[in-house]
Amino acid sequence: MKNKAVATPTRTKEILETYGFAFKKSLGQNFLIDVNILKNIIDHAGIDQEAGAIEIGPGIGALTEQLAIHADRVVAFEIDQRLLPILEDTLADYDNVTVINKDILQADVNEVIAAQFNEGQPIKVVANLPYYITTPILMKLLMGRLPVESITVMIQKEVAERMAASPNTKSYGSLSIAVQYYTEAEVSMNVPKTVFMPQPNVDSSVLHLKMRKEPPVQVENEEFFFNVVQATFGQRRKTLMNNLARHFKDTMDKQEIRKLIEAAEIDPGRRGESLSIEEFAVLARHFYEK
């Protein structure tokens, strides 16, 4: 099996048959079978010989193999024990890969980084993420303030669009704000479902998140800030006034809420989707001080 890229339809089928591997729907397993797409992901992620790479859900090693070729070191988290012997086989030629059999949501990623990479080494997260758990994984990585430069992930197209969306667009919402508070987000490329085995029901996109050194806005309390943001999108068709009145109904009356919104120099008749992250920060500050 040597020297044949993992990410081809023939080789993937061959590996699955050899090991009698059956896809688990509950784990959202869709393996990539197109080497060019993988090389594009590596390019968008800016992986080079200095870089350390963290991968989540390596599957049978299609992306892992390309990372091993282009990066200095690769650490991959795989939750499915059945894939460990397969990865040992498909990655046998590469001595710069470590596979950790752990759920990324349970792992202490900071500890793994300290143990596996050189101090000061540029580290990038690159992954083809299972659709059903994309947001919890990304929010864990972002809120964990990991010493990584960027996160480049293949995810459901619609979710990628929401994470990178600008105000006054249909995709813009509390998820856009949460992601853009920590990163500069952009959709690097769209990917058809035909390059996966089995084919998913949705199209995918590669999302590139460049970590910010500092958030774009100062907030007194992050948790409170995100709560206010979520509240304003509670019911998308409703105004800020309506959504916030509903959210703060136990602690403030409508008169007070209107005054606070106006004190932030925002029209209470606007909708959440029209506010920039800067406006949200000002709004949250007025409510927090109250």
Side-chain angles (χ1 to χ4, degrees), residues 249-260:
K249 67 180 186 301
D250 299 336
T251 50
M252 284 183 234
D253 63 30
K254 285 190 170 174
Q255 202 61 35
E256 282 179 283
I257 290 169
R258 179 175 292 278
K259 274 193 182 144
L260 287 171

Side-chain angles (χ1 to χ4, degrees), residues 146-201:
L146 302 175
V148 301
E149 286 188 359
S150 63
I151 298 174
T152 308
V153 285
M154 169 95 75
I155 59 177
Q156 189 174 336
K157 184 168 186 256
E158 190 193 323
V159 178
E161 283 167 357
R162 277 167 51 205
M163 290 182 173
S166 313
N168 292 311
T169 60
K170 169 166 117 309
S171 301
Y172 186 69
S174 53
L175 185 60
S176 323
I177 302 283
V179 170
Q180 291 168 38
Y181 179 80
Y182 297 105
T183 71
E184 290 170 44
E186 69 164 340
V187 176
S188 304
M189 63 191 241
N190 295 323
V191 179
K193 44 185 107 161
T194 48
V195 301
F196 294 94
M197 184 186 292
Q199 281 190 26
N201 303 324

Side-chain angles (χ1 to χ4, degrees), residues 54 75 77 98 100 102 107-117:
I54 294 174
V75 173
F77 288 90
T98 301
I100 297 174
K102 218 172 198 176
D108 183 336
V109 186
N110 273 307
E111 202 177 272
V112 170
I113 288 173
Q116 297 284 345
F117 298 104

